[in-house]
Amino acid sequence: MSGSTVKVFSAAEVAQHNSKSDCWIIVHGKVYDVTDFLDDHPGGSKIILKYAGKDATTEYEPIHPPDAITTNLPKEKHLGEIDASTVEKVLKIVSSDAEKGRLARVEARPHLSEILNLHDFEAIAKLVMVEKAWAYYSSAADDEITNRENHMAYHRIWFRPKILVDVEKVDFSTTILGQKSSMPFYITATALGKLGHPDGELNLTRAAGKSGVIQMIPTLSSCSFDELVDGAAPGQPQFYQLYVNKDRNITKKLVQRAEQRGIKGLFITVDAPQLGRREKDMRQKFEDDGADVQKGNRVERNQGAARAISSFIDPSLNWKDIEWFKSITKMPLVLKGVQRAEDAIKAYDAGVAGVVLSNHGGRQMDFARSGIEILCEVVKAFREQRNICFPHPGFELYVDGGVRRATDVLKAIALGATAVGIGRPFLYAYSSYGQEGIDKAMVILRDEFEMNMRLLGATSLKEIGPELVDAGSIHQHVVPVPGDRLFETNYEGIQSARLLEL
Ligand code: PPY
């Protein structure tokens, strides 16, 4: 742009370009002509047209990385800048009683010192998050049976603690794909981080650096990839989660950019050839279109935030592609979303560095089994068919979904996992309290690790093997128990007098 002057538009000028045949929008103070792009927008043209001639920044921000528009729109469609003085200063109008109530609840949040466990963050997030954001983060597939099962499965594993072990010093640090981690978990990839907080995934990057754990950067982050890599402390390892794009040139670029920027492991998502139905998310969007229903118009049921932007994912991805990935990168490859022993063995035979036993946080196939249950099946199959015990150098097992306590993590370690992935609890922590929320979650987990390792009689993770747990009931999906199950009332939700008054 050197030498050329930037054109400055008034808001009134932009407002004239407000139709399907002539559509301008403002994003981050810049004016763009998106007329030719309308039909190519992965989320459909309707949502852009809602902002034709207007400022779309608030809607754009959580769903797209900041550079999405600049990289996808040809330069000649970058028209110039908006004259800020012409934009009406719109005071933040509290649009509804519901929003007023939410803001009052944000004000009345319990102090962080009152938070005792990761469940607390979820309870508070539900009260203080914008409804759309809560719907997207918390939603899961169909009847959400797998989502519930993910945590419940941990309730079917019990400890066999050792006594009279000197546990004055306990060490729960480990390595994941050869990278140091202060605790045996990583922050797994979750999309659309700015829905919950304006700093989005940067909250996770900073907290990960501070506590010495590894963050997996998602393909669909709200912050740009470069922002998240630049936001890391010197030497802080990061992983990258990849959604494979139908356009393999784009995929190749993403992978090679990740490698160039020092990413230490590539986690390829293999459980999402199509996105599951997250009805809470879908209903949310549908209700937004309520006006159309009242007018009696035919309403196209909205697909929800996630499905709307998922059309780029390649459903033809298959085993043959592994060789191609090996040919374009030297990063260790991990398949994320393996759900049966046969596939874990196939992955091992294909020469990848590990697998994440996962059902995508219960968001893909309902009635898919929990990661921790799959782990038991996988470890048994490797022992019987390959004479391999875990942990095994060169091929690591990870589990994600439903992890809420250090005891959950220790159960997975005992059964052969190298580490587990934790996702939603950190989203809820920063959506409610910003980065401080995640810092607090890390302290809670650290304290839980220290205490539970002592109580288990183990001074390091190496000492935690299958002999320390009883997982005999893991495959029992239906457990007939009396209606007054203790665990249903065991968790006493955080009681804040101030919250209850509202
Ligand atoms: C999910 O929502 O489960 C995701 O993995 C993120 C996502 C979001 C939008 C499109 C595809 C995947």
Side-chain angles (χ1 to χ4, degrees), residues 63 136-137 139 189-192 218 220 241 243 269 271-272 274-276 278 281 304-313 336 360-364 424:
I63 319 263
Y136 173 65
Y137 286 174
S139 63
T190 47
L192 313 189
L220 290 169
Q241 172 268 337
Y243 272 119
T269 296
D271 60 7
Q274 178 179 343
L275 225 61
R278 294 87 185 256
D281 187 32
R307 277 190 148 197
I309 53 172
S310 64
S311 55
F312 73 92
I313 300 172
K336 178 175 176 291
H360 205 118
R363 293 160 78 83
Q364 286 299 94
R424 285 193 188 92

PDB file of all heavy atoms in Angstrom, residues 63 136-137 139 189-192 218 220 241 243 269 271-272 274-276 278 281 304-313 336 360-364 424, ligand 1:
ATOM      1  N   ILE A  63     -16.256 -15.814  15.883  1.00  0.00           N
ATOM      2  CA  ILE A  63     -16.346 -16.934  14.941  1.00  0.00           C
ATOM      3  C   ILE A  63     -15.144 -17.020  14.012  1.00  0.00           C
ATOM      4  O   ILE A  63     -14.866 -18.066  13.451  1.00  0.00           O
ATOM      5  CB  ILE A  63     -17.649 -16.820  14.085  1.00  0.00           C
ATOM      6  CG1 ILE A  63     -18.827 -16.373  14.935  1.00  0.00           C
ATOM      7  CG2 ILE A  63     -17.947 -18.072  13.304  1.00  0.00           C
ATOM      8  CD1 ILE A  63     -19.729 -17.437  15.441  1.00  0.00           C
ATOM      9  N   TYR A 136     -23.194 -23.112  22.816  1.00  0.00           N
ATOM     10  CA  TYR A 136     -22.190 -23.711  21.936  1.00  0.00           C
ATOM     11  C   TYR A 136     -21.178 -24.548  22.721  1.00  0.00           C
ATOM     12  O   TYR A 136     -20.861 -25.680  22.354  1.00  0.00           O
ATOM     13  CB  TYR A 136     -21.463 -22.637  21.103  1.00  0.00           C
ATOM     14  CG  TYR A 136     -20.326 -23.243  20.330  1.00  0.00           C
ATOM     15  CD1 TYR A 136     -20.590 -24.170  19.322  1.00  0.00           C
ATOM     16  CD2 TYR A 136     -19.009 -22.980  20.659  1.00  0.00           C
ATOM     17  CE1 TYR A 136     -19.557 -24.798  18.643  1.00  0.00           C
ATOM     18  CE2 TYR A 136     -17.966 -23.591  19.991  1.00  0.00           C
ATOM     19  CZ  TYR A 136     -18.251 -24.503  18.979  1.00  0.00           C
ATOM     20  OH  TYR A 136     -17.229 -25.136  18.325  1.00  0.00           O
ATOM     21  N   TYR A 137     -20.661 -24.019  23.809  1.00  0.00           N
ATOM     22  CA  TYR A 137     -19.622 -24.745  24.565  1.00  0.00           C
ATOM     23  C   TYR A 137     -20.187 -25.999  25.238  1.00  0.00           C
ATOM     24  O   TYR A 137     -19.552 -27.046  25.272  1.00  0.00           O
ATOM     25  CB  TYR A 137     -19.014 -23.851  25.662  1.00  0.00           C
ATOM     26  CG  TYR A 137     -18.075 -22.762  25.177  1.00  0.00           C
ATOM     27  CD1 TYR A 137     -17.575 -21.824  26.075  1.00  0.00           C
ATOM     28  CD2 TYR A 137     -17.681 -22.675  23.848  1.00  0.00           C
ATOM     29  CE1 TYR A 137     -16.709 -20.808  25.656  1.00  0.00           C
ATOM     30  CE2 TYR A 137     -16.821 -21.662  23.424  1.00  0.00           C
ATOM     31  CZ  TYR A 137     -16.344 -20.735  24.335  1.00  0.00           C
ATOM     32  OH  TYR A 137     -15.493 -19.740  23.924  1.00  0.00           O
ATOM     33  N   SER A 139     -22.989 -27.691  24.608  1.00  0.00           N
ATOM     34  CA  SER A 139     -23.841 -28.631  23.868  1.00  0.00           C
ATOM     35  C   SER A 139     -23.067 -29.885  23.481  1.00  0.00           C
ATOM     36  O   SER A 139     -21.842 -29.883  23.364  1.00  0.00           O
ATOM     37  CB  SER A 139     -24.416 -27.957  22.625  1.00  0.00           C
ATOM     38  OG  SER A 139     -23.377 -27.595  21.754  1.00  0.00           O
ATOM     39  N   ALA A 189      -7.859 -28.867  22.276  1.00  0.00           N
ATOM     40  CA  ALA A 189      -8.359 -27.844  21.358  1.00  0.00           C
ATOM     41  C   ALA A 189      -9.878 -27.714  21.461  1.00  0.00           C
ATOM     42  O   ALA A 189     -10.589 -28.721  21.469  1.00  0.00           O
ATOM     43  CB  ALA A 189      -7.974 -28.225  19.932  1.00  0.00           C
ATOM     44  N   THR A 190     -10.342 -26.481  21.552  1.00  0.00           N
ATOM     45  CA  THR A 190     -11.777 -26.193  21.502  1.00  0.00           C
ATOM     46  C   THR A 190     -11.935 -24.944  20.642  1.00  0.00           C
ATOM     47  O   THR A 190     -11.093 -24.050  20.702  1.00  0.00           O
ATOM     48  CB  THR A 190     -12.332 -25.916  22.919  1.00  0.00           C
ATOM     49  OG1 THR A 190     -11.470 -25.000  23.586  1.00  0.00           O
ATOM     50  CG2 THR A 190     -12.426 -27.189  23.749  1.00  0.00           C
ATOM     51  N   ALA A 191     -13.016 -24.899  19.862  1.00  0.00           N
ATOM     52  CA  ALA A 191     -13.147 -23.813  18.874  1.00  0.00           C
ATOM     53  C   ALA A 191     -13.813 -22.567  19.456  1.00  0.00           C
ATOM     54  O   ALA A 191     -14.378 -22.592  20.545  1.00  0.00           O
ATOM     55  CB  ALA A 191     -13.947 -24.311  17.672  1.00  0.00           C
ATOM     56  N   LEU A 192     -13.739 -21.490  18.712  1.00  0.00           N
ATOM     57  CA  LEU A 192     -14.490 -20.249  18.967  1.00  0.00           C
ATOM     58  C   LEU A 192     -14.276 -19.687  20.374  1.00  0.00           C
ATOM     59  O   LEU A 192     -15.224 -19.378  21.091  1.00  0.00           O
ATOM     60  CB  LEU A 192     -15.992 -20.465  18.694  1.00  0.00           C
ATOM     61  CG  LEU A 192     -16.384 -21.174  17.391  1.00  0.00           C
ATOM     62  CD1 LEU A 192     -17.881 -21.095  17.174  1.00  0.00           C
ATOM     63  CD2 LEU A 192     -15.657 -20.598  16.192  1.00  0.00           C
ATOM     64  N   PRO A 218      -6.320 -24.860  18.393  1.00  0.00           N
ATOM     65  CA  PRO A 218      -7.299 -25.418  17.461  1.00  0.00           C
ATOM     66  C   PRO A 218      -7.246 -24.780  16.074  1.00  0.00           C
ATOM     67  O   PRO A 218      -6.893 -23.601  15.948  1.00  0.00           O
ATOM     68  CB  PRO A 218      -8.645 -25.071  18.122  1.00  0.00           C
ATOM     69  CG  PRO A 218      -8.377 -23.898  18.987  1.00  0.00           C
ATOM     70  CD  PRO A 218      -6.909 -23.885  19.334  1.00  0.00           C
ATOM     71  N   LEU A 220      -9.821 -23.999  14.487  1.00  0.00           N
ATOM     72  CA  LEU A 220     -10.899 -23.004  14.479  1.00  0.00           C
ATOM     73  C   LEU A 220     -10.840 -22.074  15.692  1.00  0.00           C
ATOM     74  O   LEU A 220     -11.861 -21.805  16.328  1.00  0.00           O
ATOM     75  CB  LEU A 220     -12.252 -23.721  14.400  1.00  0.00           C
ATOM     76  CG  LEU A 220     -12.499 -24.377  13.043  1.00  0.00           C
ATOM     77  CD1 LEU A 220     -13.711 -25.282  13.087  1.00  0.00           C
ATOM     78  CD2 LEU A 220     -12.688 -23.337  11.948  1.00  0.00           C
ATOM     79  N   GLN A 241      -4.033 -28.684  16.609  1.00  0.00           N
ATOM     80  CA  GLN A 241      -5.111 -29.599  16.193  1.00  0.00           C
ATOM     81  C   GLN A 241      -5.512 -29.241  14.780  1.00  0.00           C
ATOM     82  O   GLN A 241      -5.739 -28.074  14.458  1.00  0.00           O
ATOM     83  CB  GLN A 241      -6.317 -29.453  17.146  1.00  0.00           C
ATOM     84  CG  GLN A 241      -7.565 -30.208  16.713  1.00  0.00           C
ATOM     85  CD  GLN A 241      -8.505 -29.378  15.869  1.00  0.00           C
ATOM     86  OE1 GLN A 241      -8.485 -28.155  15.937  1.00  0.00           O
ATOM     87  NE2 GLN A 241      -9.312 -30.037  15.045  1.00  0.00           N
ATOM     88  N   TYR A 243      -8.077 -29.690  11.540  1.00  0.00           N
ATOM     89  CA  TYR A 243      -9.211 -30.161  10.743  1.00  0.00           C
ATOM     90  C   TYR A 243      -8.722 -30.212   9.314  1.00  0.00           C
ATOM     91  O   TYR A 243      -8.226 -29.207   8.801  1.00  0.00           O
ATOM     92  CB  TYR A 243     -10.396 -29.210  10.848  1.00  0.00           C
ATOM     93  CG  TYR A 243     -11.300 -29.528  12.004  1.00  0.00           C
ATOM     94  CD1 TYR A 243     -11.527 -28.620  13.024  1.00  0.00           C
ATOM     95  CD2 TYR A 243     -11.928 -30.765  12.068  1.00  0.00           C
ATOM     96  CE1 TYR A 243     -12.344 -28.932  14.086  1.00  0.00           C
ATOM     97  CE2 TYR A 243     -12.755 -31.086  13.134  1.00  0.00           C
ATOM     98  CZ  TYR A 243     -12.964 -30.168  14.133  1.00  0.00           C
ATOM     99  OH  TYR A 243     -13.776 -30.484  15.178  1.00  0.00           O
ATOM    100  N   THR A 269      -7.703 -34.440  13.648  1.00  0.00           N
ATOM    101  CA  THR A 269      -9.039 -34.879  14.086  1.00  0.00           C
ATOM    102  C   THR A 269      -9.607 -35.870  13.080  1.00  0.00           C
ATOM    103  O   THR A 269      -9.726 -35.560  11.891  1.00  0.00           O
ATOM    104  CB  THR A 269      -9.970 -33.664  14.256  1.00  0.00           C
ATOM    105  OG1 THR A 269      -9.445 -32.845  15.293  1.00  0.00           O
ATOM    106  CG2 THR A 269     -11.380 -34.099  14.623  1.00  0.00           C
ATOM    107  N   ASP A 271     -12.506 -37.860  13.895  1.00  0.00           N
ATOM    108  CA  ASP A 271     -13.850 -38.308  14.279  1.00  0.00           C
ATOM    109  C   ASP A 271     -14.942 -37.347  13.827  1.00  0.00           C
ATOM    110  O   ASP A 271     -16.046 -37.344  14.364  1.00  0.00           O
ATOM    111  CB  ASP A 271     -13.938 -38.505  15.807  1.00  0.00           C
ATOM    112  CG  ASP A 271     -13.637 -37.220  16.580  1.00  0.00           C
ATOM    113  OD1 ASP A 271     -13.485 -36.163  15.948  1.00  0.00           O
ATOM    114  OD2 ASP A 271     -13.560 -37.296  17.820  1.00  0.00           O
ATOM    115  N   ALA A 272     -14.636 -36.524  12.823  1.00  0.00           N
ATOM    116  CA  ALA A 272     -15.633 -35.528  12.425  1.00  0.00           C
ATOM    117  C   ALA A 272     -15.774 -35.393  10.905  1.00  0.00           C
ATOM    118  O   ALA A 272     -15.658 -34.301  10.355  1.00  0.00           O
ATOM    119  CB  ALA A 272     -15.292 -34.173  13.051  1.00  0.00           C
ATOM    120  N   GLN A 274     -18.433 -35.529   9.488  1.00  0.00           N
ATOM    121  CA  GLN A 274     -19.557 -34.595   9.504  1.00  0.00           C
ATOM    122  C   GLN A 274     -19.734 -34.185  10.956  1.00  0.00           C
ATOM    123  O   GLN A 274     -19.444 -34.980  11.863  1.00  0.00           O
ATOM    124  CB  GLN A 274     -20.834 -35.280   9.006  1.00  0.00           C
ATOM    125  CG  GLN A 274     -22.025 -34.350   9.048  1.00  0.00           C
ATOM    126  CD  GLN A 274     -23.309 -34.966   8.536  1.00  0.00           C
ATOM    127  OE1 GLN A 274     -23.287 -35.987   7.851  1.00  0.00           O
ATOM    128  NE2 GLN A 274     -24.424 -34.362   8.872  1.00  0.00           N
ATOM    129  N   LEU A 275     -20.221 -32.973  11.170  1.00  0.00           N
ATOM    130  CA  LEU A 275     -20.387 -32.533  12.550  1.00  0.00           C
ATOM    131  C   LEU A 275     -21.664 -33.101  13.150  1.00  0.00           C
ATOM    132  O   LEU A 275     -22.690 -33.152  12.487  1.00  0.00           O
ATOM    133  CB  LEU A 275     -20.400 -31.005  12.600  1.00  0.00           C
ATOM    134  CG  LEU A 275     -19.540 -30.416  13.712  1.00  0.00           C
ATOM    135  CD1 LEU A 275     -18.092 -30.811  13.548  1.00  0.00           C
ATOM    136  CD2 LEU A 275     -19.665 -28.919  13.747  1.00  0.00           C
ATOM    137  N   GLY A 276     -21.585 -33.529  14.427  1.00  0.00           N
ATOM    138  CA  GLY A 276     -22.762 -34.073  15.111  1.00  0.00           C
ATOM    139  C   GLY A 276     -23.840 -33.007  15.302  1.00  0.00           C
ATOM    140  O   GLY A 276     -23.601 -31.817  15.129  1.00  0.00           O
ATOM    141  N   ARG A 278     -25.747 -30.802  17.587  1.00  0.00           N
ATOM    142  CA  ARG A 278     -25.749 -30.266  18.947  1.00  0.00           C
ATOM    143  C   ARG A 278     -27.016 -29.431  19.060  1.00  0.00           C
ATOM    144  O   ARG A 278     -27.065 -28.276  18.676  1.00  0.00           O
ATOM    145  CB  ARG A 278     -24.521 -29.408  19.223  1.00  0.00           C
ATOM    146  CG  ARG A 278     -23.191 -30.164  19.210  1.00  0.00           C
ATOM    147  CD  ARG A 278     -22.637 -30.238  17.802  1.00  0.00           C
ATOM    148  NE  ARG A 278     -21.434 -31.037  17.663  1.00  0.00           N
ATOM    149  CZ  ARG A 278     -20.233 -30.500  17.522  1.00  0.00           C
ATOM    150  NH1 ARG A 278     -20.056 -29.219  17.535  1.00  0.00           N
ATOM    151  NH2 ARG A 278     -19.200 -31.287  17.356  1.00  0.00           N
ATOM    152  N   ASP A 281     -27.282 -25.957  20.724  1.00  0.00           N
ATOM    153  CA  ASP A 281     -26.699 -24.924  19.870  1.00  0.00           C
ATOM    154  C   ASP A 281     -27.670 -24.582  18.735  1.00  0.00           C
ATOM    155  O   ASP A 281     -27.923 -23.424  18.426  1.00  0.00           O
ATOM    156  CB  ASP A 281     -25.368 -25.448  19.320  1.00  0.00           C
ATOM    157  CG  ASP A 281     -24.574 -24.392  18.554  1.00  0.00           C
ATOM    158  OD1 ASP A 281     -24.673 -23.211  18.899  1.00  0.00           O
ATOM    159  OD2 ASP A 281     -23.850 -24.778  17.620  1.00  0.00           O
ATOM    160  N   GLY A 304     -26.961 -24.185  13.844  1.00  0.00           N
ATOM    161  CA  GLY A 304     -26.124 -23.893  15.007  1.00  0.00           C
ATOM    162  C   GLY A 304     -24.776 -23.353  14.551  1.00  0.00           C
ATOM    163  O   GLY A 304     -24.406 -23.473  13.380  1.00  0.00           O
ATOM    164  N   ALA A 305     -24.048 -22.747  15.508  1.00  0.00           N
ATOM    165  CA  ALA A 305     -22.787 -22.070  15.182  1.00  0.00           C
ATOM    166  C   ALA A 305     -21.791 -23.019  14.528  1.00  0.00           C
ATOM    167  O   ALA A 305     -21.154 -22.696  13.523  1.00  0.00           O
ATOM    168  CB  ALA A 305     -22.182 -21.477  16.449  1.00  0.00           C
ATOM    169  N   ALA A 306     -21.661 -24.221  15.098  1.00  0.00           N
ATOM    170  CA  ALA A 306     -20.607 -25.121  14.642  1.00  0.00           C
ATOM    171  C   ALA A 306     -20.871 -25.669  13.240  1.00  0.00           C
ATOM    172  O   ALA A 306     -20.028 -25.572  12.349  1.00  0.00           O
ATOM    173  CB  ALA A 306     -20.452 -26.265  15.633  1.00  0.00           C
ATOM    174  N   ARG A 307     -22.077 -26.227  13.045  1.00  0.00           N
ATOM    175  CA  ARG A 307     -22.351 -26.847  11.746  1.00  0.00           C
ATOM    176  C   ARG A 307     -22.237 -25.848  10.606  1.00  0.00           C
ATOM    177  O   ARG A 307     -21.837 -26.190   9.497  1.00  0.00           O
ATOM    178  CB  ARG A 307     -23.752 -27.453  11.767  1.00  0.00           C
ATOM    179  CG  ARG A 307     -23.773 -28.832  12.400  1.00  0.00           C
ATOM    180  CD  ARG A 307     -25.103 -29.481  12.194  1.00  0.00           C
ATOM    181  NE  ARG A 307     -24.968 -30.908  12.072  1.00  0.00           N
ATOM    182  CZ  ARG A 307     -25.912 -31.686  11.559  1.00  0.00           C
ATOM    183  NH1 ARG A 307     -27.033 -31.163  11.121  1.00  0.00           N
ATOM    184  NH2 ARG A 307     -25.725 -32.977  11.487  1.00  0.00           N
ATOM    185  N   ALA A 308     -22.616 -24.597  10.933  1.00  0.00           N
ATOM    186  CA  ALA A 308     -22.621 -23.573   9.888  1.00  0.00           C
ATOM    187  C   ALA A 308     -21.237 -23.366   9.283  1.00  0.00           C
ATOM    188  O   ALA A 308     -21.117 -23.017   8.120  1.00  0.00           O
ATOM    189  CB  ALA A 308     -23.135 -22.259  10.458  1.00  0.00           C
ATOM    190  N   ILE A 309     -20.200 -23.585  10.076  1.00  0.00           N
ATOM    191  CA  ILE A 309     -18.860 -23.300   9.538  1.00  0.00           C
ATOM    192  C   ILE A 309     -18.032 -24.573   9.325  1.00  0.00           C
ATOM    193  O   ILE A 309     -16.833 -24.515   9.184  1.00  0.00           O
ATOM    194  CB  ILE A 309     -18.092 -22.313  10.451  1.00  0.00           C
ATOM    195  CG1 ILE A 309     -18.067 -22.808  11.904  1.00  0.00           C
ATOM    196  CG2 ILE A 309     -18.678 -20.929  10.370  1.00  0.00           C
ATOM    197  CD1 ILE A 309     -17.160 -21.982  12.779  1.00  0.00           C
ATOM    198  N   SER A 310     -18.719 -25.707   9.268  1.00  0.00           N
ATOM    199  CA  SER A 310     -17.960 -26.964   9.213  1.00  0.00           C
ATOM    200  C   SER A 310     -17.824 -27.539   7.808  1.00  0.00           C
ATOM    201  O   SER A 310     -17.209 -28.584   7.632  1.00  0.00           O
ATOM    202  CB  SER A 310     -18.617 -28.007  10.120  1.00  0.00           C
ATOM    203  OG  SER A 310     -19.906 -28.305   9.639  1.00  0.00           O
ATOM    204  N   SER A 311     -18.371 -26.841   6.807  1.00  0.00           N
ATOM    205  CA  SER A 311     -18.440 -27.455   5.480  1.00  0.00           C
ATOM    206  C   SER A 311     -17.060 -27.647   4.827  1.00  0.00           C
ATOM    207  O   SER A 311     -16.930 -28.390   3.874  1.00  0.00           O
ATOM    208  CB  SER A 311     -19.323 -26.622   4.563  1.00  0.00           C
ATOM    209  OG  SER A 311     -18.845 -25.307   4.548  1.00  0.00           O
ATOM    210  N   PHE A 312     -16.032 -27.012   5.384  1.00  0.00           N
ATOM    211  CA  PHE A 312     -14.705 -27.145   4.778  1.00  0.00           C
ATOM    212  C   PHE A 312     -14.032 -28.475   5.137  1.00  0.00           C
ATOM    213  O   PHE A 312     -13.072 -28.887   4.508  1.00  0.00           O
ATOM    214  CB  PHE A 312     -13.817 -25.973   5.238  1.00  0.00           C
ATOM    215  CG  PHE A 312     -13.377 -26.102   6.671  1.00  0.00           C
ATOM    216  CD1 PHE A 312     -12.186 -26.728   6.989  1.00  0.00           C
ATOM    217  CD2 PHE A 312     -14.184 -25.629   7.705  1.00  0.00           C
ATOM    218  CE1 PHE A 312     -11.784 -26.866   8.315  1.00  0.00           C
ATOM    219  CE2 PHE A 312     -13.791 -25.763   9.025  1.00  0.00           C
ATOM    220  CZ  PHE A 312     -12.590 -26.384   9.331  1.00  0.00           C
ATOM    221  N   ILE A 313     -14.564 -29.169   6.155  1.00  0.00           N
ATOM    222  CA  ILE A 313     -13.891 -30.389   6.627  1.00  0.00           C
ATOM    223  C   ILE A 313     -14.074 -31.525   5.607  1.00  0.00           C
ATOM    224  O   ILE A 313     -15.169 -31.739   5.097  1.00  0.00           O
ATOM    225  CB  ILE A 313     -14.443 -30.820   8.000  1.00  0.00           C
ATOM    226  CG1 ILE A 313     -14.217 -29.709   9.031  1.00  0.00           C
ATOM    227  CG2 ILE A 313     -13.795 -32.112   8.480  1.00  0.00           C
ATOM    228  CD1 ILE A 313     -14.902 -29.947  10.372  1.00  0.00           C
ATOM    229  N   LYS A 336      -6.577 -37.978  16.529  1.00  0.00           N
ATOM    230  CA  LYS A 336      -7.435 -37.539  17.635  1.00  0.00           C
ATOM    231  C   LYS A 336      -8.886 -37.963  17.354  1.00  0.00           C
ATOM    232  O   LYS A 336      -9.485 -37.487  16.375  1.00  0.00           O
ATOM    233  CB  LYS A 336      -7.342 -36.015  17.779  1.00  0.00           C
ATOM    234  CG  LYS A 336      -8.216 -35.426  18.858  1.00  0.00           C
ATOM    235  CD  LYS A 336      -7.954 -33.929  18.993  1.00  0.00           C
ATOM    236  CE  LYS A 336      -8.874 -33.286  19.994  1.00  0.00           C
ATOM    237  NZ  LYS A 336     -10.277 -33.228  19.564  1.00  0.00           N
ATOM    238  N   HIS A 360     -14.771 -36.759  21.184  1.00  0.00           N
ATOM    239  CA  HIS A 360     -14.951 -35.341  20.826  1.00  0.00           C
ATOM    240  C   HIS A 360     -15.864 -34.648  21.852  1.00  0.00           C
ATOM    241  O   HIS A 360     -16.777 -33.891  21.502  1.00  0.00           O
ATOM    242  CB  HIS A 360     -15.574 -35.264  19.426  1.00  0.00           C
ATOM    243  CG  HIS A 360     -15.306 -34.001  18.655  1.00  0.00           C
ATOM    244  ND1 HIS A 360     -14.632 -33.985  17.471  1.00  0.00           N
ATOM    245  CD2 HIS A 360     -15.657 -32.719  18.886  1.00  0.00           C
ATOM    246  CE1 HIS A 360     -14.583 -32.751  17.004  1.00  0.00           C
ATOM    247  NE2 HIS A 360     -15.203 -31.956  17.846  1.00  0.00           N
ATOM    248  N   GLY A 361     -15.601 -34.935  23.118  1.00  0.00           N
ATOM    249  CA  GLY A 361     -16.410 -34.307  24.173  1.00  0.00           C
ATOM    250  C   GLY A 361     -17.893 -34.613  24.064  1.00  0.00           C
ATOM    251  O   GLY A 361     -18.735 -33.798  24.446  1.00  0.00           O
ATOM    252  N   GLY A 362     -18.212 -35.813  23.546  1.00  0.00           N
ATOM    253  CA  GLY A 362     -19.629 -36.198  23.432  1.00  0.00           C
ATOM    254  C   GLY A 362     -20.372 -35.411  22.369  1.00  0.00           C
ATOM    255  O   GLY A 362     -21.600 -35.414  22.331  1.00  0.00           O
ATOM    256  N   ARG A 363     -19.634 -34.737  21.479  1.00  0.00           N
ATOM    257  CA  ARG A 363     -20.289 -33.830  20.527  1.00  0.00           C
ATOM    258  C   ARG A 363     -20.494 -34.445  19.157  1.00  0.00           C
ATOM    259  O   ARG A 363     -21.062 -33.830  18.272  1.00  0.00           O
ATOM    260  CB  ARG A 363     -19.448 -32.558  20.384  1.00  0.00           C
ATOM    261  CG  ARG A 363     -19.416 -31.732  21.635  1.00  0.00           C
ATOM    262  CD  ARG A 363     -18.247 -30.776  21.664  1.00  0.00           C
ATOM    263  NE  ARG A 363     -18.403 -29.587  20.853  1.00  0.00           N
ATOM    264  CZ  ARG A 363     -19.049 -28.490  21.230  1.00  0.00           C
ATOM    265  NH1 ARG A 363     -19.643 -28.457  22.401  1.00  0.00           N
ATOM    266  NH2 ARG A 363     -19.119 -27.436  20.451  1.00  0.00           N
ATOM    267  N   GLN A 364     -19.997 -35.681  18.959  1.00  0.00           N
ATOM    268  CA  GLN A 364     -20.131 -36.288  17.638  1.00  0.00           C
ATOM    269  C   GLN A 364     -21.186 -37.391  17.631  1.00  0.00           C
ATOM    270  O   GLN A 364     -22.331 -37.151  17.366  1.00  0.00           O
ATOM    271  CB  GLN A 364     -18.757 -36.771  17.162  1.00  0.00           C
ATOM    272  CG  GLN A 364     -17.857 -35.627  16.743  1.00  0.00           C
ATOM    273  CD  GLN A 364     -18.464 -34.851  15.580  1.00  0.00           C
ATOM    274  OE1 GLN A 364     -19.145 -33.854  15.774  1.00  0.00           O
ATOM    275  NE2 GLN A 364     -18.246 -35.330  14.361  1.00  0.00           N
ATOM    276  N   ARG A 424     -13.471 -28.398  28.203  1.00  0.00           N
ATOM    277  CA  ARG A 424     -14.519 -27.486  28.687  1.00  0.00           C
ATOM    278  C   ARG A 424     -14.212 -26.818  30.032  1.00  0.00           C
ATOM    279  O   ARG A 424     -14.487 -25.624  30.183  1.00  0.00           O
ATOM    280  CB  ARG A 424     -15.858 -28.227  28.791  1.00  0.00           C
ATOM    281  CG  ARG A 424     -16.537 -28.489  27.435  1.00  0.00           C
ATOM    282  CD  ARG A 424     -17.969 -28.921  27.669  1.00  0.00           C
ATOM    283  NE  ARG A 424     -18.657 -29.376  26.479  1.00  0.00           N
ATOM    284  CZ  ARG A 424     -18.715 -30.641  26.077  1.00  0.00           C
ATOM    285  NH1 ARG A 424     -18.092 -31.584  26.760  1.00  0.00           N
ATOM    286  NH2 ARG A 424     -19.391 -30.968  24.996  1.00  0.00           N
TER     287      ARG A 424
HETATM  288  C1  PPY B   1     -16.823 -28.679  17.877  1.00  0.00           C
HETATM  289  O1  PPY B   1     -17.657 -27.781  17.983  1.00  0.00           O
HETATM  290  O2  PPY B   1     -16.961 -29.770  18.405  1.00  0.00           O
HETATM  291  C2  PPY B   1     -15.621 -28.491  17.121  1.00  0.00           C
HETATM  292  O3  PPY B   1     -14.816 -29.343  17.053  1.00  0.00           O
HETATM  293  C3  PPY B   1     -15.367 -27.227  16.481  1.00  0.00           C
HETATM  294  C4  PPY B   1     -15.989 -26.986  15.197  1.00  0.00           C
HETATM  295  C5  PPY B   1     -16.625 -25.807  15.066  1.00  0.00           C
HETATM  296  C6  PPY B   1     -17.148 -25.492  13.867  1.00  0.00           C
HETATM  297  C7  PPY B   1     -17.029 -26.363  12.805  1.00  0.00           C
HETATM  298  C8  PPY B   1     -16.390 -27.550  12.960  1.00  0.00           C
HETATM  299  C9  PPY B   1     -15.864 -27.868  14.159  1.00  0.00           C
END
